[in-house]
Amino acid sequence: MFFASDNSGPVHPSVMEALAHANESYAMPYGADVLMDNVHTRIREIFEAPEAAVYLVATGTAANSLALATLCNPWETVFCSTVAHIHEDECNAPEFYTGGAKLTLVKGDDAKFTADALREAVEKEETRGVHGPQRGPVSMTQATERGTIYSLDEIRAIAKSAKAFGLPVHMDGARFTNALVALGCSAAEMTWKAGVDVVSFGGTKNGLMGVEAVIFFDPKHAWEFELRRKRGAHLFSKHRYLSAQMAAYLDDDLWLRSAKAANDATARLAHGLKQIEGTTFVHEPAVNMIFAGWSRAGHQRLHDAGAQYYIWEGALDGSDPDEILTARLVTDWSMTDENIDRFLDLVRG
Amino acid sequence: MFFASDNSGPVHPSVMEALAHANESYAMPYGADVLMDNVHTRIREIFEAPEAAVYLVATGTAANSLALATLCNPWETVFCSTVAHIHEDECNAPEFYTGGAKLTLVKGDDAKFTADALREAVEKEETRGVHGPQRGPVSMTQATERGTIYSLDEIRAIAKSAKAFGLPVHMDGARFTNALVALGCSAAEMTWKAGVDVVSFGGTKNGLMGVEAVIFFDPKHAWEFELRRKRGAHLFSKHRYLSAQMAAYLDDDLWLRSAKAANDATARLAHGLKQIEGTTFVHEPAVNMIFAGWSRAGHQRLHDAGAQYYIWEGALDGSDPDEILTARLVTDWSMTDENIDRFLDLVRG
Amino acid sequence: MFFASDNSGPVHPSVMEALAHANESYAMPYGADVLMDNVHTRIREIFEAPEAAVYLVATGTAANSLALATLCNPWETVFCSTVAHIHEDECNAPEFYTGGAKLTLVKGDDAKFTADALREAVEKEETRGVHGPQRGPVSMTQATERGTIYSLDEIRAIAKSAKAFGLPVHMDGARFTNALVALGCSAAEMTWKAGVDVVSFGGTKNGLMGVEAVIFFDPKHAWEFELRRKRGAHLFSKHRYLSAQMAAYLDDDLWLRSAKAANDATARLAHGLKQIEGTTFVHEPAVNMIFAGWSRAGHQRLHDAGAQYYIWEGALDGSDPDEILTARLVTDWSMTDENIDRFLDLVRG
Amino acid sequence: MFFASDNSGPVHPSVMEALAHANESYAMPYGADVLMDNVHTRIREIFEAPEAAVYLVATGTAANSLALATLCNPWETVFCSTVAHIHEDECNAPEFYTGGAKLTLVKGDDAKFTADALREAVEKEETRGVHGPQRGPVSMTQATERGTIYSLDEIRAIAKSAKAFGLPVHMDGARFTNALVALGCSAAEMTWKAGVDVVSFGGTKNGLMGVEAVIFFDPKHAWEFELRRKRGAHLFSKHRYLSAQMAAYLDDDLWLRSAKAANDATARLAHGLKQIEGTTFVHEPAVNMIFAGWSRAGHQRLHDAGAQYYIWEGALDGSDPDEILTARLVTDWSMTDENIDRFLDLVRG
């Protein structure tokens, strides 16, 4: 019963097979492998973006930091949510990679921000000429760190606000496919057709071992990105093992199937929890993560049975067994109905 | 009628004389001049800090950025006010000099923050282990960017909060002496006796041509600071001309007299404005800067008469002559009663 | 016939099995996996260093850059060979990670430098007080970029020179085990017993998919390194797949067996080439890499037969079939005698 | 008898007068002062460059570092002399300001390098694609750190070599005017007409208190430079005092007259030394600096009489009074014939 994160589950068997297959021969290093050609082609097809430049790195933080560094001068500020991963969970990696840019936090509900809030934040910056930080890229997270998603209209409005000031738009898509499946739209619709310029297209949280693609719809920054990636020590010599994972991911809709499985698992979990009296929800479940509350006694039962997840607010040790504590529950492609049902039984008591 | 800033007035004649005097002979470069020995001695006396290490730079941003870089690792975050100069007016210089540290904005009234607000902000950071930014130094501005000041009790409480987490305390003292004169305490009481570790001790806004001292009460960082200053291109070859300014500043209480003159000028201005019906105040005047509002018609009269100051909120062009617009008014040592009274006459209409 | 690099061959089957095994269940992310505990224990045993702090990253450049950044202040200079990987092949990654430190190139034969040359280079730096770069760590590469190795005496002498100036010593061990096997000594003898403080302990070039360990014999920098790794985006969420590789590597002497196989293959190759009249050698073969020259006609035959390697000096297209061109030939654990013999036949013509 | 450096003499009286004059009234801060308009106009006239963008900073290291940072990406390398100030005397400031670029040292005689040596160095870099540092700007020093100068032909040839690779050319002109006077050409001829793109136009070593201009002949980088200057904490609030110095410098040919006086003083010194048997010269004197050797006994006499200069090679304390030690002797605008003659008398013994 692992609900701690979508980075604690196993790699999908198809991906393991692809790695084994890639291992059968020799290959050119540093991205010159044949598999990478396939990845490039497939991503361009899927995103309907024949000009796109595509690069692979092994961590989400690398994808985000390198993408932002390519878009952002050191004297600029990145506009993002108050709970953005780039702000809270990357130990100043964006500041490091950009050479000291700032992050301006845009407030909003449900771990999102609106086009209006963005406009206001952008307008507030740069009223001081050379003295203040200059306006830089806008970074939005889809799906968000709280398991919510931006609708297509919301993405379009945010990108429009950004473009009104000439600012590029980055999408942190660590859970890109979970959001895509939930929206039921195309990858192009959720990105460049809505005004997004660069995407961190996540794979690691969706069944890969450790691969994220950075996709530039306009390839003008391509060579700069390659140099930044190398200088950041994120260019792999045995690159084919990244390519193999990403190729398998895109093959036979594995990326979509895995995300759907993860989302469905959370939906089943949420459905079950809703039947249990006393359960509270922080957000309506949209993708593969929910924040739900139940009694401390319920948490204790789960803990004793070995269930793993984070108590987001509150702590297990406390005197009142009826106090409601909020849990963060995340599911990945590998979550079984059996595990969910067992979990629900334990909450039920 | 120059009320735009305390950086637009002339250098004090005593300082000009000191420069002329320093120019009479040859001197060793790069801080090895004899005048710097005097500065070192005098500052240690004034601050009652016989161990203090003292360095001169030419801009306030250099003083702040170099001081913070010495205190702050790149993976840490600096706690400061939402309107701190280091956040709003230094074009990411602190981020540049620290190698990419973050600034965490602590809210509060009157351009200040409380010890409690600081504690809350500090506690919120670093709940994520290696993933989030680590807690770094606390930077407070005395006097603040809005002309308010921290009381000694407030400084002590903030420093105590910082020390409870093992965090060093920096004071941005671009208007240090204006605050000191207003509080009527000693330099030691306002700094290390209250828990401050490093001060940017401003001179430029108080009658110098361009000199700020950075004072480390604990000299352990001295050599590192020297290397950072040189690497930042802030070590002057003809250093004696910085020393001469600072020596003159500290001589015969010029620093205190100049600050008192500036504060008194603002007090006279505020007193006069209070007599004028319809004038509003954002803060009670504490040092040499006030934010006050009166009618657009009044602003227009002043503008036509050549008065220089910033309209902080609102704009001169507008249809309603009675609308109240807020001005920022700053006075320095050179402001005459005559100028103030003429200004008041114009507001009066 | 892949002699291009030791990063183009397959991952060792035992490592693939370990990955498959690690994939059977859930695991805690970010290095908190149980496999990492084993790695930590094993490396401490092998290096006879019970205090050592051990970290895994995925690229050699990350290992070197993060290790050096931990040892080197931004105002210092790293002493290294003129052909060091950190100088020639990392696109300024050490400069990036250190925040702008310099590299001072120390000359020497066979891609090495002597203790005397180091001493001379160190003495030359820092004669300018605060003006010049300050002396920083010494970085030596074992085995070198030209396939040569430092003897234990040479390492000890270099470390002694460094320590005489209080400078820490880093070893870039991308081909650490190849050198170790060639010297026939223990890992402790080649490192901390000889005065080395930090090692980049390579795995990728010796049969892993992409894992290098950074080993600090003195753990005082441990937490700083963790923060630097995270900030550099080199902390893996699914860390267990790095741990699994390294654990398999250290199991049953796989690391030693693989390096020996690679060295033996080069020895066979070298032995064969020596029999062929007209073959020249740049260095005596010490590990798994040689630089040897033969006629352009020979290169052409190999090229036509699909052999892959770099012509280090000269070019295939040229009119004189008898001109001698130098090839760089690298072997890894997977090289077969058959391939070598076929290659030799083709050189022979 | 101060021959230690051209940064230890007094500021020219005309400059002091200009500062006093600038102090008579209020002025807009941060470069918006009227005097700066004059400076801009005058430099454009003098350099025959009506499009040039001109900025003032207070140190030569700031001028060089900011200029190079504007020309050079962090993954590139700057080509410069082995004894360039940017390499030896700026404590890694160029590396800091560029965000971690490298410096490639080009060898040559007399502290210079030739167009051929440059070409060779440039060709050697970037043979490794994304792996190695990329080619960046060329920086030449005129006059050099050894008091030699590049002829117009040499400058043109170097710039031509640079341009053949698309590389911009920077001139470190800390002693620009000394070289200009020596060559007897126009400022335009020595810079943009010869292919130079950006100049650090020094004033501090030639009678100013502390001002250097950075001149971009193509203004496309102007705004970026302003942001870099502010972010580097090198934008002065009381900017008019920089402007006043530079305006006085350019007025009535003060810059040319001061440089000529300094050069003439060195010529007189050199002429005198040549008459003294046993004196050796490292270079023929070209500007205001020579390296000359005479006996230890002579040095002792000078030292005892209070003469100040650096013994470049060797040390005063030593047993052999006849041993020849090399001195570096620098003269500025203020050096008197009397001082020189007295100095010569002492050498003579």
Side-chain angles (χ1 to χ4, degrees), chain C residues 127-139:
Chain C
T127 56
R128 295 163 182 264
V130 81
H131 302 285
Q134 307 296 301
R135 294 159 178 162
V138 174
S139 179

Side-chain angles (χ1 to χ4, degrees), chain C residues 121-205:
Chain C
V122 174
E123 277 169 356
K124 216 177 140 189
E125 293 293 344
E126 208 168 312
T127 56
R128 295 163 182 264
V130 81
H131 302 285
Q134 307 296 301
R135 294 159 178 162
V138 174
S139 179
M140 55 193 309
T141 312
Q142 176 79 324
T144 75
E145 284 77 10
R146 297 296 178 268
T148 57
I149 52 177
Y150 290 93
S151 70
L152 287 188
D153 279 348
E154 288 172 329
I155 299 171
R156 286 179 200 125
I158 285 171
K160 198 177 162 192
S161 270
K163 295 299 159 65
F165 294 96
L167 307 179
V169 179
H170 167 252
M171 179 176 277
D172 174 357
R175 293 187 180 93
F176 182 94
T177 315
N178 301 88
L180 191 74
V181 164
L183 286 178
C185 65
S186 75
E189 283 170 325
M190 201 168 87
T191 56
W192 66 268
K193 286 187 175 173
V196 174
D197 298 294
V198 182
V199 179
S200 299
F201 175 62
T204 311
K205 289 180 188 295

Side-chain angles (χ1 to χ4, degrees), chain C residues 15-34:
Chain C
V15 176
M16 295 303 285
E17 277 167 38
L19 286 172
H21 186 69
N23 201 43
E24 283 164 13
S25 58
Y26 289 74
M28 293 300 286
Y30 298 118
D33 53 287
V34 179

